Amino acid sequence: MKARISVLTLGVADLKKAVTFYQNGLGLRTEGIIGKEFEYGAVAFFDLQNGLRLALWPKESISKDTGIPVQEPSSLEFTIGHNVNTKEEVDAVMIQAEKAGAKIIKPAQNTFYNGYAGYFQDPDGHLWEVVWNPDFQVEE
């Protein structure tokens, strides 16, 4: 298998609320909810970078599509890393996320690898790490 991840899909409890958080709160671009005409088809896509997309899809729809019953989530299953180029950018994103309704899990602070990072949860409990790593340069 070649690494060709093009979509990361987050299961959400309330699609409209999740779209509002990501679109209005975090400023990610989307054309809004599409596929409403199909049972279990409503979804929203957000363009990220280099062709990568973030999809928000109701948990019930994912359950219907996969045949796996909706389960209690764990925020520790995976994290989404958002890398930036400065400590100040980490602080700015953390503030923006909190104002949008995110729960701050770990305030931004110095890391063991000489970086700077913090964690927040979106309204559905998905865990985001906002990171400045001096060894990574993020293309704008």
Side-chain angles (χ1 to χ4, degrees), residues 11-130:
V12 299
D14 182 327
L15 184 56
K16 288 180 184 178
K17 181 178 177 182
V19 169
T20 298
F21 175 80
Y22 283 97
Q23 182 178 32
N24 299 341
L26 296 185
L28 300 183
R29 294 182 317 133
T30 182
E31 293 184 20
I33 299 171
I34 61 170
K36 295 181 202 175
E37 67 273 21
F38 304 106
E39 185 176 19
Y40 302 106
V43 64
F45 292 100
F46 296 82
D47 292 324
L48 301 178
Q49 77 282 343
N50 301 324
L52 181 62
R53 290 178 150 195
L54 175 67
L56 303 179
W57 202 19
K59 292 177 186 180
E60 295 80 17
S61 298
I62 296 172
S63 174
K64 180 69 174 172
D65 197 45
T66 64
I68 298 172
V70 175
Q71 303 166 13
E72 287 296 316
S74 169
S75 296
L76 301 177
E77 299 300 325
F78 72 96
T79 66
I80 302 168
H82 177 71
N83 287 290
V84 297
N85 286 320
T86 66
K87 288 182 176 183
E88 294 78 18
E89 286 180 87
V90 171
D91 289 333
V93 172
M94 294 292 288
I95 290 167
Q96 181 181 10
E98 186 172 33
K99 286 181 180 177
K103 178 180 178 184
I104 302 302
I105 299 301
K106 182 178 180 182
Q109 56 194 263
N110 293 323
T111 67
F112 67 90
Y113 53 85
N114 296 321
Y116 187 73
Y119 286 93
F120 71 83
Q121 283 181 316
D122 74 4
D124 285 282
H126 300 110
L127 196 56
W128 286 76
E129 182 183 23
V130 184

